[in-house]
Amino acid sequence: MAYIQFLGAAGTVTGSKHLINTGDPSGKNGFQVLIDCGLFQGPKEWRERNWRDTPVPAKDIDAVILTHAHLDHCGWIPRLVKEGFRGAIYATPPTIDLCGLILPDSGHLQEEDARFYNKTRKSKHSPALPLYTFEEAESSLQYFKPVFVGQTVELHADVSFRFVRAAHILGSCMAEVSLHADGRARRLLFTGDIGRVQDHKVAPGKVVRSGPQEGELADIVIMESTYGNRLHPREDPLPQLAGLIRDTAKRGGSVVVPAFAIERTQKFVFILKHLIECGDIPRLPVFCDSPMAIKAVEIFLKHDEEYSDETREMIRKYGTPLAWPGFTFALTPEESKKINSAMMPSVIISSSGMVTGGRILHHLAQRLPDPRNLVLFIGFQAPATRGFIIKSRSDEVKIYGDYVPIRAQVAALEQFSDHADPPELLQWLRTFRNRPETTYLVHGEPDASDKLRDLMKKELEWNVQVAQYLEKVNVA
Ligand SMILES: [Zn+2]
């Protein structure tokens, strides 16, 4: 009896890991494939699971199929290798390039955290150890194998798969897995994260193709539900964005934008260029202050097969963003510090997106106390992060051990998400060529998954279940 076991992203939005075993439920004698191998993030209760071994020994897993390069989908790979995994990790070429950037960076952060805890003796474990190091992350990259979209890969006599587009971020895909189990052919679709619809007013600024692959056919679907209980605003945010930037420039202030280094920063840079060239905002200097974001732009430029038509047209017209006049990409700490002495007004985009660390801290420490400035959020802010505190318009926020007063204007635009919301998901699901036997919802907080399950049952009359952590479900 072949089965799937949910080893992560069940009951939460992080730690995506779904195991297919072609053998019996004892787990023995089967071919084992892991779809995604993500890091648990957020509440401690989940993060602690990063330290537990997989319920199946890592060395017994035969292959990994990776949908995309977000840490909650790929960030546990170096640990899996550290625990003895030696199979192949299949991913698209852009996903492999992005992993080459973010996995070593994640290892570096793990080492820094361990050093910090050892210094402040906050850890119960002495000494605190990193989950994996920079070197271990780099060494895990040797197991990656490129697979092109649409290419069929035979993993085993009974298991093959191919990638189809998910349109979530650069290189992101869904995995269609074909199984021969107990004399039956079965098709499983693992969606990974699902991108937005093709509508530039509703989902503006997509730098990569939008719209997930339509016309899918599957017996079993394992589907994300991040936005199961939320709706994206429907109005075009660009007029509001232009207004906010114009008003800030008029009062002599700067716009500070905390943004995730991958995808969101590139998206915002293209939107700014568009608004400048249309004459909707003044030609302000734009500083992109994140070494990772710059490297991500380079990777993005390498994969022009992924561009949206608008991006292709912008690059044809204006050339590479790294050489746009008025746009400065700061790499070294010295270049970053120079931005602080730059003349106002300007636009500064920096990471981390939730203000948990990185260069955004010194830009905010300097600019939050001045009411002429604007802090603009274009991404999700998890509770208890500095980004959340600023976005909730508290009086002050702690940065580098000091309380910084929040006097700058604070605004948030919610339209830039890279996840489809319920109406968009239904629109995509209605393109399926069949009604799958069962759909398991993963990658959502419990309320989001429950709401999406109820909506899909009502609107589509599909059989939908919310996956439980460590639950095994038969697929044959
Ligand atoms: Zn993602």
Side-chain angles (χ1 to χ4, degrees):
M1 274 298 241
Y3 65 90
I4 299 171
Q5 189 177 18
F6 304 105
L7 305 182
T12 185
V13 288
T14 64
S16 267
K17 281 181 213 82
H18 312 300
L19 185 80
I20 303 173
N21 190 320
T22 60
D24 60 282
S26 74
K28 286 187 191 121
N29 308 321
F31 185 80
Q32 304 200 90
V33 190
L34 198 57
I35 315 291
D36 286 339
C37 186
L39 205 58
F40 285 109
Q41 297 163 308
K44 198 172 167 204
E45 169 210 351
W46 288 106
R47 273 185 290 122
E48 278 175 347
R49 295 178 206 211
N50 288 325
W51 293 90
R52 297 188 203 156
D53 292 350
T54 43
V56 184
K59 65 174 176 40
D60 295 346
I61 295 172
D62 298 287
V64 174
I65 300 172
L66 178 60
T67 61
H68 68 288
H70 275 150
L71 277 183
D72 57 331
H73 291 258
C74 68
W76 212 75
I77 285 174
R79 183 75 187 190
L80 188 77
V81 172
K82 188 173 178 163
E83 287 184 11
F85 172 79
R86 291 295 177 268
I89 302 160
Y90 298 96
T92 62
T95 297
I96 295 179
D97 284 347
L98 288 173
C99 284
L101 180 61
I102 72 163
L103 291 180
D105 181 72
S106 169
H108 172 72
L109 291 177
Q110 302 282 349
E111 288 183 77
E112 276 197 339
D113 282 352
R115 261 195 295 275
F116 175 79
Y117 283 116
N118 287 330
K119 220 164 91 189
T120 55
R121 295 178 193 283
K122 274 185 188 160
S123 173
K124 282 175 280 180
H125 321 276
S126 63
L129 296 170
L131 192 60
Y132 51 84
T133 64
F134 176 90
E135 262 109 53
E136 284 164 341
E138 282 219 311
S139 139
S140 73
L141 299 173
Q142 65 182 292
Y143 298 99
F144 280 78
K145 286 207 163 42
V147 175
F148 295 96
V149 177
Q151 178 191 346
T152 300
V153 179
E154 303 285 340
L155 296 176
H156 174 262
D158 294 327
V159 189
S160 66
F161 83 96
R162 64 169 198 157
F163 283 133
V164 296
R165 293 200 183 278
H168 167 60
I169 64 162
L170 186 78
S172 68
C173 279
M174 307 190 192
E176 290 178 357
V177 179
S178 299
L179 282 188
H180 267 99
D182 308 311
R184 291 171 82 194
R186 307 291 281 161
R187 260 171 93 105
L188 319 178
L189 179 69
F190 292 82
T191 68
D193 289 351
I194 304 168
R196 308 288 307 273
V197 289
Q198 283 169 300
D199 182 331
H200 290 277
K201 284 220 156 51
V202 173
K206 274 307 267 191
V207 286
V208 297
R209 286 160 203 256
S210 46
Q213 173 78 34
E214 298 190 341
E216 281 298 300
L217 185 72
D219 298 306
I220 292 176
V221 179
I222 292 81
M223 175 175 155
E224 75 134 325
S225 53
T226 317
Y227 272 79
N229 56 354
R230 279 177 288 170
L231 290 171
H232 297 310
R234 256 34 197 176
E235 66 275 10
D236 182 356
L238 297 194
Q240 195 192 346
L241 171 63
L244 284 164
I245 296 175
R246 280 197 306 267
D247 291 347
T248 309
K250 251 185 245 162
R251 53 178 192 254
S254 283
V255 181
V256 186
V257 186
F260 299 103
I262 292 174
E263 200 79 7
R264 200 59 54 89
T265 294
Q266 287 90 64
K267 199 185 233 192
F268 199 69
V269 162
F270 274 84
I271 287 174
L272 286 176
K273 179 70 174 167
H274 168 75
L275 293 176
I276 289 172
E277 295 303 333
C278 294
D280 287 348
I281 58 171
R283 232 167 245 283
L284 303 176
V286 175
F287 297 99
C288 181
D289 188 18
S290 156
M292 187 131 136
I294 299 160
K295 287 180 196 149
V297 172
E298 286 165 354
I299 292 172
F300 167 75
L301 289 169
K302 197 175 139 190
H303 295 285
D304 59 355
E305 74 278 8
E306 295 263 323
Y307 292 178
S308 64
D309 293 344
E310 292 72 16
T311 304
R312 202 178 302 280
E313 180 60 14
M314 291 273 282
I315 291 176
R316 193 192 60 77
K317 244 177 159 167
Y318 305 114
T320 155
L322 297 173
W324 288 344
F327 285 71
T328 306
F329 290 82
L331 266 178
T332 65
E334 290 68 38
E335 286 171 316
S336 171
K337 280 179 195 135
K338 260 193 216 156
I339 299 171
N340 279 343
S341 52
M343 281 188 1
M344 291 205 289
S346 60
V347 180
I348 301 158
I349 311 159
S350 188
S351 52
S352 70
M354 296 194 207
V355 202
T356 48
R359 293 180 180 177
I360 189 70
L361 292 180
H362 75 83
H363 296 303
L364 285 175
Q366 198 191 4
R367 288 173 175 83
L368 271 174
D370 186 337
R372 290 176 298 171
N373 295 326
L374 165 71
V375 179
L376 176 64
F377 291 99
I378 55 169
F380 176 71
Q381 304 301 313
T385 58
R386 279 195 203 90
F388 185 85
I389 293 167
I390 299 169
K391 195 179 156 187
S392 333
R393 296 176 178 78
S394 307
D395 294 337
E396 54 187 16
V397 63
K398 203 172 182 182
I399 299 179
Y400 299 134
D402 291 324
Y403 283 98
V404 178
I406 302 174
R407 296 196 198 100
Q409 184 190 358
V410 176
L413 293 172
E414 313 284 352
Q415 284 95 330
F416 299 106
S417 166
D418 292 309
H419 288 269
D421 70 356
E424 295 173 40
L425 290 172
L426 286 179
Q427 188 182 330
W428 173 64
L429 291 168
R430 286 198 169 103
T431 72
F432 270 55
R433 285 182 284 151
N434 72 329
R435 184 186 298 183
E437 276 166 32
T438 314
T439 298
Y440 295 97
L441 296 181
V442 295
H443 205 281
E445 295 301 332
D447 182 62
S449 302
D450 288 351
K451 291 240 163 69
L452 185 61
R453 175 199 57 207
D454 297 347
L455 183 74
M456 285 172 65
K457 281 184 165 175
K458 182 167 161 264
E459 295 290 326
L460 306 170
E461 297 179 357
W462 282 21
N463 175 24
V464 186
Q465 294 179 30
V466 176
Q468 304 300 313
Y469 181 59
L470 297 182
E471 181 189 8
K472 287 180 181 178
V473 296
N474 290 338
V475 295

